[in-house]
Amino acid sequence: QVQLVESGGGLVQAGGSLRLSCAASGSILSIGAMGWYRQAPGNQRELVASIASGGSSNYGDSVTGRFTISRDNAKNTVYLQMNSLKAEDTAVYYCNADITSGTILSRRKSYYWGQGTQVTVSS
């Protein structure tokens, strides 16, 4: 069984910073792309940032220059450093990962989601 567990959300004032973490655990053979998405009330879930296994990354237009995604492959963990936070960044942030799990003889490749962590930015 594969799990993604996020941490690091909370309440911060506009202009402040937060760092989100997402750790994958279970019978993991390999992890491909990892990413962060967010969903504000009444809005669709949107991509915030993603990072490939080799380290190349891309960002949503609204966070470019303020947020940085990184990963530690040895720890199966992805991070999101959020700086210069704005009220419009308020949302539930979800971690996503492309994971191959199981055993060498019985593999399963699927996208997994974390449970979400609330980020609230007060103006």
Side-chain angles (χ1 to χ4, degrees), residues 1-5 23-26 28 99 112-114:
Q1 196 77 327
V2 172
Q3 265 193 319
L4 296 180
V5 178
S25 63
I28 296 171
I99 296 176
Y112 292 87
W113 290 92

Side-chain angles (χ1 to χ4, degrees), residues 25-75:
S25 63
S27 304
I28 296 171
L29 296 176
S30 63
I31 302 178
M34 305 182 81
W36 290 95
Y37 290 72
R38 67 186 182 186
Q39 188 167 18
N43 291 357
Q44 289 188 332
R45 191 171 295 190
E46 63 174 356
L47 174 69
V48 176
S50 66
I51 184 167
S53 56
S56 60
S57 59
N58 70 287
Y59 297 88
D61 290 342
S62 61
V63 306
T64 298
R66 299 187 298 122
F67 291 9
T68 302
I69 190 170
S70 61
R71 63 190 287 170
D72 184 333
N73 291 331
K75 296 181 179 180

